[in-house]
Amino acid sequence: MIGTRLEENQTGNQFGTFIYPSLAAFAADSPAMFTRTLVPRVRPGTAWNGAVYAGDTWRVGGGLRLTYGARLEAAHFSDAPPYNRAVDSLFGVRTDRIPSEVHVSPRLGFTWASGDGSDGPQTTFLRGGVGDFRSLTPTALYAAALSAPGLSSAQTQLICVGSAVPTPDWSLYAQDPSTIPTQCTDTATAVTLTPTPSVTAFAPDFAAPRARRASLALLHRFGSSNYWVTLEGNYARGVSQYGFRDLNLVATPRFTLPDEAGRPVYVPVDSIVPTTGAVSSVGSRIHPEFGDVLLVGSDLQSDTKQLILSFTGATRWGASFRLGYTLTRARDQSSYSCCSASAGFAAPTTAGDPNARKWGTSGLERRHAFVGTVTLPVTRGLEVSAIGNFMSGAPFTPIVGSDINGDGAKNDRAFIFNPALTADTAIANGMQALLATAPSAIRRCLRRQLGGIAARNSCTGPWQASLDLQVNWRPEWFGLDRRLTMSLLTVNLLGGLDEWLHGRAQLRGWGYAPAPDPVLQYVRGFDPTTNQFRYAVNGRFGGIASASGGVTVPFQIALQAHLAVGPGPIRRTPRGVRQAAASLPAPALPTNPITAILGLRDSFGCTPDQAAQLRAIADSLDARNRLLPESLDAGVQLAAARDNARWALERARAVLTPAQWNKLPDPLKAPGPALND
């Protein structure tokens, strides 16, 4: 049982935003629009989550092992927001109810090993499973409901356009943020505009997101070596994915845009400012006394398919590696994962009704991904490890730089004007220049969509690379027998090399996960006689230098030390094993038997040269075990580790004399049953 006390506020735009239609307007300090979200207080609450799992493993026989179980989960949220009678009456939504949930998730898996192991180690395995997996409800959703119950004392929205936009006083705002406008006065009508309450509430049938997953993997080991190849397929069907609908948005559009494939607009024509194209969502409200009324539902879905091919191995001198490739196809109805409710409403983007559920390429898809890891022993106590990733870019959607359909969100997909057909010379010239100079992937994305509204996540950003390095040193100081490990680690080594080689001002973007600029067009006006917006084409569309988003991981260096204290993992002596009279007292058998043999080296007269050879064998055994595929279940992994231990013991026996070998405890010379014994 876990209780999470939250008192958070992830609402954006709390200090307000002035929007300028052009650089000239910015130079003249003449904004076209001012918006602000006011959140006077944050209400705390507590999320409770509990779970219990019961499972079992059944060794059926013939190399088949079944694992099955079920997970019982429960969720409850206390301290719900207050009841708002007006919201209940107008929209049929209870603001004071956050649904609780009890859910059972069944799982079933199997592992099948080919052959009975009588002819040597088994080399081919088939693994698979199906199950239902539930995630926790993000605390950001609870926080959004707590802060926006639709009361004037809670979260409110202020939207000012045209003559109602205040003239900014930047120096005053910087000195005293309390002077940032909380209302606007229309200089043309002398009408004062005040903020309207926002509402975020849960649907009565809301449930935490879940995924129904299935996987099937074929693993093959090349003979008795430690080289493996794995081919794995995964499928996940996301259900109960959360999404948002605005209950206060008018259902019928006020008009459509004839030059943009009939795109619906939900505000009256005369409410759009002709000189700037600024749109206020006030005209799209069913009940103007409220702003957004967002209902958090769990009726969205996702669909993900993966094919993974990997090759792992370890050499006899201790080097190990893994190479992998993943092909992914992912579609969903929204890729929103964080943080504010308004961002969740805008996340799917729209070409029509923003409340409609549409499928599209997931923003989380990385179609191709390559990964490689390698560990190289330099000396017996020094090794170098590296991990590199190279994956295709993130999908993104061409959008308009401001709200044009009147729903209050920057979520409108851009219409891709054909420069040969449009009568607007500004758009024609801008599109021609963009199609001539943009990267090839951006040009292909635009050309295949000319004359239509862009599809969601129809463009793809540049490929992304990352590289991390780790150096481990295990000295023999103070008689610790290499129990002390000192590690030098780097994070985003490529980013550090980029800055070192090119300087901070000339970075090439190495090690940076770029978010391409998704804005294709900026609104520069509106013609009420033809119902057409006028646009300026963003010549930096798809570029990463001007993008406002992305993940920046700074170059970091860390120094760590790890000291193993006490004996290694203990394994009981098998029943019926009798020690020889001349043998030493049997220690608890660790995972690596060669390490235990080294611990007894003084007792059976081990020479320095023999000790050095045994340490190399112990390191090789550790490397082999590290490279065992993670997709093997625990039982098969243990059996494979025992096969590796037998290999190591055979090498150790060749190093020791017969007299020395006979002095070893019998349990150390018998690592346990082989696969499916």
Side-chain angles (χ1 to χ4, degrees), residues 593-595 597 604 610 613-615 617-618 645-657 660-661 664 668:
I594 311 303
T595 302
I597 293 175
F604 58 81
Q610 287 176 320
Q613 294 182 63
L614 290 175
R615 289 192 189 97
I617 296 172
R646 287 189 184 87
W647 167 85
L649 286 169
E650 290 174 0
R651 296 188 64 190
R653 185 170 186 172
V655 170
L656 301 177
T657 66
Q660 290 172 325
W661 180 259
L664 294 178
L668 276 182

PDB file of all heavy atoms in Angstrom, residues 593-595 597 604 610 613-615 617-618 645-657 660-661 664 668:
ATOM      1  N   PRO A 593      31.713 -20.108  -8.451  1.00  0.00           N
ATOM      2  CA  PRO A 593      32.527 -21.033  -7.653  1.00  0.00           C
ATOM      3  C   PRO A 593      34.021 -20.732  -7.749  1.00  0.00           C
ATOM      4  O   PRO A 593      34.783 -21.089  -6.851  1.00  0.00           O
ATOM      5  CB  PRO A 593      32.179 -22.399  -8.249  1.00  0.00           C
ATOM      6  CG  PRO A 593      31.741 -22.112  -9.637  1.00  0.00           C
ATOM      7  CD  PRO A 593      31.053 -20.785  -9.584  1.00  0.00           C
ATOM      8  N   ILE A 594      34.461 -20.107  -8.824  1.00  0.00           N
ATOM      9  CA  ILE A 594      35.884 -19.808  -8.956  1.00  0.00           C
ATOM     10  C   ILE A 594      36.306 -18.774  -7.917  1.00  0.00           C
ATOM     11  O   ILE A 594      37.415 -18.815  -7.384  1.00  0.00           O
ATOM     12  CB  ILE A 594      36.199 -19.318 -10.381  1.00  0.00           C
ATOM     13  CG1 ILE A 594      35.575 -20.258 -11.414  1.00  0.00           C
ATOM     14  CG2 ILE A 594      37.697 -19.218 -10.595  1.00  0.00           C
ATOM     15  CD1 ILE A 594      36.019 -21.704 -11.280  1.00  0.00           C
ATOM     16  N   THR A 595      35.401 -17.833  -7.605  1.00  0.00           N
ATOM     17  CA  THR A 595      35.696 -16.866  -6.553  1.00  0.00           C
ATOM     18  C   THR A 595      35.882 -17.563  -5.212  1.00  0.00           C
ATOM     19  O   THR A 595      36.768 -17.207  -4.420  1.00  0.00           O
ATOM     20  CB  THR A 595      34.557 -15.832  -6.456  1.00  0.00           C
ATOM     21  OG1 THR A 595      34.397 -15.186  -7.717  1.00  0.00           O
ATOM     22  CG2 THR A 595      34.843 -14.794  -5.398  1.00  0.00           C
ATOM     23  N   ILE A 597      36.912 -20.665  -4.814  1.00  0.00           N
ATOM     24  CA  ILE A 597      38.185 -21.390  -4.875  1.00  0.00           C
ATOM     25  C   ILE A 597      39.346 -20.446  -4.580  1.00  0.00           C
ATOM     26  O   ILE A 597      40.288 -20.785  -3.849  1.00  0.00           O
ATOM     27  CB  ILE A 597      38.343 -22.054  -6.256  1.00  0.00           C
ATOM     28  CG1 ILE A 597      37.308 -23.173  -6.428  1.00  0.00           C
ATOM     29  CG2 ILE A 597      39.752 -22.607  -6.446  1.00  0.00           C
ATOM     30  CD1 ILE A 597      37.300 -23.803  -7.808  1.00  0.00           C
ATOM     31  N   PHE A 604      45.140 -24.648  -0.014  1.00  0.00           N
ATOM     32  CA  PHE A 604      45.580 -25.781  -0.831  1.00  0.00           C
ATOM     33  C   PHE A 604      46.843 -25.461  -1.634  1.00  0.00           C
ATOM     34  O   PHE A 604      47.172 -26.138  -2.608  1.00  0.00           O
ATOM     35  CB  PHE A 604      44.462 -26.287  -1.753  1.00  0.00           C
ATOM     36  CG  PHE A 604      43.906 -25.251  -2.708  1.00  0.00           C
ATOM     37  CD1 PHE A 604      44.572 -24.948  -3.885  1.00  0.00           C
ATOM     38  CD2 PHE A 604      42.714 -24.612  -2.432  1.00  0.00           C
ATOM     39  CE1 PHE A 604      44.059 -24.021  -4.761  1.00  0.00           C
ATOM     40  CE2 PHE A 604      42.196 -23.684  -3.314  1.00  0.00           C
ATOM     41  CZ  PHE A 604      42.867 -23.386  -4.486  1.00  0.00           C
ATOM     42  N   GLN A 610      48.924 -19.587 -10.688  1.00  0.00           N
ATOM     43  CA  GLN A 610      47.610 -20.246 -10.685  1.00  0.00           C
ATOM     44  C   GLN A 610      46.516 -19.266 -10.263  1.00  0.00           C
ATOM     45  O   GLN A 610      45.417 -19.257 -10.838  1.00  0.00           O
ATOM     46  CB  GLN A 610      47.640 -21.451  -9.750  1.00  0.00           C
ATOM     47  CG  GLN A 610      48.422 -22.643 -10.263  1.00  0.00           C
ATOM     48  CD  GLN A 610      48.490 -23.763  -9.245  1.00  0.00           C
ATOM     49  OE1 GLN A 610      48.648 -23.515  -8.034  1.00  0.00           O
ATOM     50  NE2 GLN A 610      48.378 -25.002  -9.716  1.00  0.00           N
ATOM     51  N   GLN A 613      45.552 -17.055 -13.136  1.00  0.00           N
ATOM     52  CA  GLN A 613      44.723 -17.747 -14.118  1.00  0.00           C
ATOM     53  C   GLN A 613      43.305 -17.951 -13.599  1.00  0.00           C
ATOM     54  O   GLN A 613      42.323 -17.830 -14.360  1.00  0.00           O
ATOM     55  CB  GLN A 613      45.357 -19.095 -14.467  1.00  0.00           C
ATOM     56  CG  GLN A 613      46.701 -18.985 -15.183  1.00  0.00           C
ATOM     57  CD  GLN A 613      47.252 -20.354 -15.552  1.00  0.00           C
ATOM     58  OE1 GLN A 613      46.634 -21.077 -16.334  1.00  0.00           O
ATOM     59  NE2 GLN A 613      48.403 -20.705 -14.988  1.00  0.00           N
ATOM     60  N   LEU A 614      43.157 -18.249 -12.322  1.00  0.00           N
ATOM     61  CA  LEU A 614      41.822 -18.434 -11.748  1.00  0.00           C
ATOM     62  C   LEU A 614      41.030 -17.127 -11.755  1.00  0.00           C
ATOM     63  O   LEU A 614      39.811 -17.126 -11.982  1.00  0.00           O
ATOM     64  CB  LEU A 614      41.933 -18.988 -10.327  1.00  0.00           C
ATOM     65  CG  LEU A 614      42.424 -20.438 -10.211  1.00  0.00           C
ATOM     66  CD1 LEU A 614      42.607 -20.809  -8.738  1.00  0.00           C
ATOM     67  CD2 LEU A 614      41.436 -21.400 -10.879  1.00  0.00           C
ATOM     68  N   ARG A 615      41.714 -15.995 -11.483  1.00  0.00           N
ATOM     69  CA  ARG A 615      41.011 -14.706 -11.523  1.00  0.00           C
ATOM     70  C   ARG A 615      40.493 -14.424 -12.937  1.00  0.00           C
ATOM     71  O   ARG A 615      39.390 -13.903 -13.116  1.00  0.00           O
ATOM     72  CB  ARG A 615      41.947 -13.583 -11.066  1.00  0.00           C
ATOM     73  CG  ARG A 615      42.255 -13.597  -9.588  1.00  0.00           C
ATOM     74  CD  ARG A 615      42.933 -12.306  -9.151  1.00  0.00           C
ATOM     75  NE  ARG A 615      43.423 -12.410  -7.791  1.00  0.00           N
ATOM     76  CZ  ARG A 615      44.685 -12.719  -7.470  1.00  0.00           C
ATOM     77  NH1 ARG A 615      45.569 -12.937  -8.429  1.00  0.00           N
ATOM     78  NH2 ARG A 615      45.041 -12.801  -6.207  1.00  0.00           N
ATOM     79  N   ILE A 617      39.622 -16.656 -15.138  1.00  0.00           N
ATOM     80  CA  ILE A 617      38.468 -17.538 -15.351  1.00  0.00           C
ATOM     81  C   ILE A 617      37.238 -16.991 -14.625  1.00  0.00           C
ATOM     82  O   ILE A 617      36.119 -17.005 -15.158  1.00  0.00           O
ATOM     83  CB  ILE A 617      38.796 -18.962 -14.868  1.00  0.00           C
ATOM     84  CG1 ILE A 617      39.938 -19.558 -15.709  1.00  0.00           C
ATOM     85  CG2 ILE A 617      37.563 -19.859 -14.947  1.00  0.00           C
ATOM     86  CD1 ILE A 617      40.452 -20.879 -15.180  1.00  0.00           C
ATOM     87  N   ALA A 618      37.422 -16.504 -13.390  1.00  0.00           N
ATOM     88  CA  ALA A 618      36.301 -15.934 -12.630  1.00  0.00           C
ATOM     89  C   ALA A 618      35.707 -14.738 -13.352  1.00  0.00           C
ATOM     90  O   ALA A 618      34.478 -14.579 -13.437  1.00  0.00           O
ATOM     91  CB  ALA A 618      36.761 -15.549 -11.229  1.00  0.00           C
ATOM     92  N   ALA A 645      29.002 -22.253 -15.165  1.00  0.00           N
ATOM     93  CA  ALA A 645      29.863 -22.612 -14.040  1.00  0.00           C
ATOM     94  C   ALA A 645      30.617 -23.913 -14.323  1.00  0.00           C
ATOM     95  O   ALA A 645      31.790 -24.060 -13.957  1.00  0.00           O
ATOM     96  CB  ALA A 645      29.036 -22.732 -12.763  1.00  0.00           C
ATOM     97  N   ARG A 646      29.951 -24.872 -14.963  1.00  0.00           N
ATOM     98  CA  ARG A 646      30.639 -26.115 -15.324  1.00  0.00           C
ATOM     99  C   ARG A 646      31.817 -25.837 -16.268  1.00  0.00           C
ATOM    100  O   ARG A 646      32.894 -26.414 -16.138  1.00  0.00           O
ATOM    101  CB  ARG A 646      29.658 -27.086 -15.986  1.00  0.00           C
ATOM    102  CG  ARG A 646      28.666 -27.711 -15.041  1.00  0.00           C
ATOM    103  CD  ARG A 646      27.889 -28.827 -15.748  1.00  0.00           C
ATOM    104  NE  ARG A 646      26.873 -29.356 -14.871  1.00  0.00           N
ATOM    105  CZ  ARG A 646      25.654 -28.865 -14.749  1.00  0.00           C
ATOM    106  NH1 ARG A 646      25.301 -27.823 -15.467  1.00  0.00           N
ATOM    107  NH2 ARG A 646      24.783 -29.388 -13.911  1.00  0.00           N
ATOM    108  N   TRP A 647      31.565 -24.961 -17.241  1.00  0.00           N
ATOM    109  CA  TRP A 647      32.637 -24.583 -18.163  1.00  0.00           C
ATOM    110  C   TRP A 647      33.822 -23.981 -17.404  1.00  0.00           C
ATOM    111  O   TRP A 647      34.982 -24.296 -17.667  1.00  0.00           O
ATOM    112  CB  TRP A 647      32.071 -23.581 -19.172  1.00  0.00           C
ATOM    113  CG  TRP A 647      33.120 -22.864 -19.978  1.00  0.00           C
ATOM    114  CD1 TRP A 647      33.719 -23.291 -21.117  1.00  0.00           C
ATOM    115  CD2 TRP A 647      33.682 -21.586 -19.674  1.00  0.00           C
ATOM    116  NE1 TRP A 647      34.632 -22.370 -21.548  1.00  0.00           N
ATOM    117  CE2 TRP A 647      34.633 -21.307 -20.682  1.00  0.00           C
ATOM    118  CE3 TRP A 647      33.479 -20.659 -18.648  1.00  0.00           C
ATOM    119  CZ2 TRP A 647      35.375 -20.133 -20.702  1.00  0.00           C
ATOM    120  CZ3 TRP A 647      34.214 -19.491 -18.654  1.00  0.00           C
ATOM    121  CH2 TRP A 647      35.154 -19.228 -19.672  1.00  0.00           C
ATOM    122  N   ALA A 648      33.516 -23.093 -16.444  1.00  0.00           N
ATOM    123  CA  ALA A 648      34.581 -22.448 -15.671  1.00  0.00           C
ATOM    124  C   ALA A 648      35.318 -23.461 -14.794  1.00  0.00           C
ATOM    125  O   ALA A 648      36.549 -23.395 -14.639  1.00  0.00           O
ATOM    126  CB  ALA A 648      33.998 -21.326 -14.824  1.00  0.00           C
ATOM    127  N   LEU A 649      34.582 -24.405 -14.200  1.00  0.00           N
ATOM    128  CA  LEU A 649      35.224 -25.402 -13.337  1.00  0.00           C
ATOM    129  C   LEU A 649      36.139 -26.331 -14.136  1.00  0.00           C
ATOM    130  O   LEU A 649      37.186 -26.766 -13.641  1.00  0.00           O
ATOM    131  CB  LEU A 649      34.157 -26.204 -12.596  1.00  0.00           C
ATOM    132  CG  LEU A 649      33.449 -25.459 -11.454  1.00  0.00           C
ATOM    133  CD1 LEU A 649      32.247 -26.251 -10.968  1.00  0.00           C
ATOM    134  CD2 LEU A 649      34.417 -25.199 -10.306  1.00  0.00           C
ATOM    135  N   GLU A 650      35.737 -26.631 -15.362  1.00  0.00           N
ATOM    136  CA  GLU A 650      36.607 -27.457 -16.193  1.00  0.00           C
ATOM    137  C   GLU A 650      37.924 -26.742 -16.465  1.00  0.00           C
ATOM    138  O   GLU A 650      39.001 -27.359 -16.445  1.00  0.00           O
ATOM    139  CB  GLU A 650      35.895 -27.795 -17.501  1.00  0.00           C
ATOM    140  CG  GLU A 650      34.731 -28.765 -17.342  1.00  0.00           C
ATOM    141  CD  GLU A 650      33.973 -28.957 -18.638  1.00  0.00           C
ATOM    142  OE1 GLU A 650      34.368 -28.331 -19.656  1.00  0.00           O
ATOM    143  OE2 GLU A 650      32.980 -29.715 -18.634  1.00  0.00           O
ATOM    144  N   ARG A 651      37.878 -25.459 -16.720  1.00  0.00           N
ATOM    145  CA  ARG A 651      39.106 -24.696 -16.926  1.00  0.00           C
ATOM    146  C   ARG A 651      39.921 -24.598 -15.642  1.00  0.00           C
ATOM    147  O   ARG A 651      41.151 -24.655 -15.671  1.00  0.00           O
ATOM    148  CB  ARG A 651      38.762 -23.297 -17.448  1.00  0.00           C
ATOM    149  CG  ARG A 651      38.087 -23.272 -18.805  1.00  0.00           C
ATOM    150  CD  ARG A 651      37.946 -21.866 -19.341  1.00  0.00           C
ATOM    151  NE  ARG A 651      39.251 -21.267 -19.578  1.00  0.00           N
ATOM    152  CZ  ARG A 651      39.430 -19.975 -19.861  1.00  0.00           C
ATOM    153  NH1 ARG A 651      38.378 -19.165 -19.911  1.00  0.00           N
ATOM    154  NH2 ARG A 651      40.631 -19.499 -20.065  1.00  0.00           N
ATOM    155  N   ALA A 652      39.229 -24.419 -14.516  1.00  0.00           N
ATOM    156  CA  ALA A 652      39.940 -24.329 -13.238  1.00  0.00           C
ATOM    157  C   ALA A 652      40.627 -25.645 -12.901  1.00  0.00           C
ATOM    158  O   ALA A 652      41.750 -25.657 -12.363  1.00  0.00           O
ATOM    159  CB  ALA A 652      38.968 -23.931 -12.134  1.00  0.00           C
ATOM    160  N   ARG A 653      39.978 -26.759 -13.201  1.00  0.00           N
ATOM    161  CA  ARG A 653      40.581 -28.067 -12.913  1.00  0.00           C
ATOM    162  C   ARG A 653      41.862 -28.268 -13.723  1.00  0.00           C
ATOM    163  O   ARG A 653      42.824 -28.888 -13.257  1.00  0.00           O
ATOM    164  CB  ARG A 653      39.585 -29.176 -13.219  1.00  0.00           C
ATOM    165  CG  ARG A 653      40.079 -30.571 -12.834  1.00  0.00           C
ATOM    166  CD  ARG A 653      38.970 -31.588 -12.931  1.00  0.00           C
ATOM    167  NE  ARG A 653      39.395 -32.894 -12.434  1.00  0.00           N
ATOM    168  CZ  ARG A 653      38.597 -33.935 -12.261  1.00  0.00           C
ATOM    169  NH1 ARG A 653      37.294 -33.806 -12.553  1.00  0.00           N
ATOM    170  NH2 ARG A 653      39.058 -35.086 -11.800  1.00  0.00           N
ATOM    171  N   ALA A 654      41.881 -27.725 -14.935  1.00  0.00           N
ATOM    172  CA  ALA A 654      43.080 -27.845 -15.762  1.00  0.00           C
ATOM    173  C   ALA A 654      44.222 -26.997 -15.216  1.00  0.00           C
ATOM    174  O   ALA A 654      45.397 -27.290 -15.460  1.00  0.00           O
ATOM    175  CB  ALA A 654      42.758 -27.437 -17.196  1.00  0.00           C
ATOM    176  N   VAL A 655      43.880 -25.938 -14.482  1.00  0.00           N
ATOM    177  CA  VAL A 655      44.908 -25.070 -13.902  1.00  0.00           C
ATOM    178  C   VAL A 655      45.527 -25.700 -12.655  1.00  0.00           C
ATOM    179  O   VAL A 655      46.742 -25.612 -12.414  1.00  0.00           O
ATOM    180  CB  VAL A 655      44.308 -23.682 -13.574  1.00  0.00           C
ATOM    181  CG1 VAL A 655      45.276 -22.844 -12.739  1.00  0.00           C
ATOM    182  CG2 VAL A 655      43.924 -22.949 -14.853  1.00  0.00           C
ATOM    183  N   LEU A 656      44.705 -26.370 -11.828  1.00  0.00           N
ATOM    184  CA  LEU A 656      45.164 -26.933 -10.557  1.00  0.00           C
ATOM    185  C   LEU A 656      45.750 -28.329 -10.768  1.00  0.00           C
ATOM    186  O   LEU A 656      45.424 -29.022 -11.737  1.00  0.00           O
ATOM    187  CB  LEU A 656      43.991 -26.996  -9.573  1.00  0.00           C
ATOM    188  CG  LEU A 656      43.305 -25.669  -9.227  1.00  0.00           C
ATOM    189  CD1 LEU A 656      42.126 -25.914  -8.298  1.00  0.00           C
ATOM    190  CD2 LEU A 656      44.285 -24.679  -8.604  1.00  0.00           C
ATOM    191  N   THR A 657      46.575 -28.716  -9.809  1.00  0.00           N
ATOM    192  CA  THR A 657      47.086 -30.089  -9.816  1.00  0.00           C
ATOM    193  C   THR A 657      46.007 -31.027  -9.296  1.00  0.00           C
ATOM    194  O   THR A 657      45.079 -30.594  -8.603  1.00  0.00           O
ATOM    195  CB  THR A 657      48.334 -30.200  -8.939  1.00  0.00           C
ATOM    196  OG1 THR A 657      47.953 -29.967  -7.578  1.00  0.00           O
ATOM    197  CG2 THR A 657      49.394 -29.185  -9.355  1.00  0.00           C
ATOM    198  N   GLN A 660      45.592 -30.676  -5.569  1.00  0.00           N
ATOM    199  CA  GLN A 660      44.873 -29.454  -5.184  1.00  0.00           C
ATOM    200  C   GLN A 660      43.381 -29.602  -5.461  1.00  0.00           C
ATOM    201  O   GLN A 660      42.542 -29.179  -4.653  1.00  0.00           O
ATOM    202  CB  GLN A 660      45.447 -28.255  -5.950  1.00  0.00           C
ATOM    203  CG  GLN A 660      46.847 -27.840  -5.518  1.00  0.00           C
ATOM    204  CD  GLN A 660      47.427 -26.775  -6.436  1.00  0.00           C
ATOM    205  OE1 GLN A 660      47.180 -26.770  -7.645  1.00  0.00           O
ATOM    206  NE2 GLN A 660      48.223 -25.873  -5.859  1.00  0.00           N
ATOM    207  N   TRP A 661      43.020 -30.151  -6.593  1.00  0.00           N
ATOM    208  CA  TRP A 661      41.602 -30.324  -6.940  1.00  0.00           C
ATOM    209  C   TRP A 661      40.895 -31.233  -5.938  1.00  0.00           C
ATOM    210  O   TRP A 661      39.758 -30.973  -5.548  1.00  0.00           O
ATOM    211  CB  TRP A 661      41.505 -30.884  -8.348  1.00  0.00           C
ATOM    212  CG  TRP A 661      40.084 -31.095  -8.818  1.00  0.00           C
ATOM    213  CD1 TRP A 661      39.408 -32.264  -8.861  1.00  0.00           C
ATOM    214  CD2 TRP A 661      39.178 -30.084  -9.283  1.00  0.00           C
ATOM    215  NE1 TRP A 661      38.139 -32.067  -9.324  1.00  0.00           N
ATOM    216  CE2 TRP A 661      37.962 -30.732  -9.598  1.00  0.00           C
ATOM    217  CE3 TRP A 661      39.277 -28.714  -9.467  1.00  0.00           C
ATOM    218  CZ2 TRP A 661      36.868 -30.047 -10.089  1.00  0.00           C
ATOM    219  CZ3 TRP A 661      38.178 -28.028  -9.955  1.00  0.00           C
ATOM    220  CH2 TRP A 661      36.990 -28.681 -10.259  1.00  0.00           C
ATOM    221  N   LEU A 664      39.537 -29.601  -2.721  1.00  0.00           N
ATOM    222  CA  LEU A 664      38.392 -28.685  -2.766  1.00  0.00           C
ATOM    223  C   LEU A 664      37.139 -29.384  -2.258  1.00  0.00           C
ATOM    224  O   LEU A 664      36.943 -30.586  -2.488  1.00  0.00           O
ATOM    225  CB  LEU A 664      38.155 -28.200  -4.197  1.00  0.00           C
ATOM    226  CG  LEU A 664      39.248 -27.322  -4.820  1.00  0.00           C
ATOM    227  CD1 LEU A 664      38.874 -26.978  -6.253  1.00  0.00           C
ATOM    228  CD2 LEU A 664      39.442 -26.050  -4.004  1.00  0.00           C
ATOM    229  N   LEU A 668      31.782 -27.324  -4.196  1.00  0.00           N
ATOM    230  CA  LEU A 668      32.377 -26.352  -5.103  1.00  0.00           C
ATOM    231  C   LEU A 668      32.612 -26.952  -6.482  1.00  0.00           C
ATOM    232  O   LEU A 668      32.636 -26.236  -7.483  1.00  0.00           O
ATOM    233  CB  LEU A 668      33.715 -25.854  -4.541  1.00  0.00           C
ATOM    234  CG  LEU A 668      33.659 -24.722  -3.519  1.00  0.00           C
ATOM    235  CD1 LEU A 668      35.058 -24.319  -3.109  1.00  0.00           C
ATOM    236  CD2 LEU A 668      32.923 -23.527  -4.091  1.00  0.00           C
TER     237      LEU A 668
END
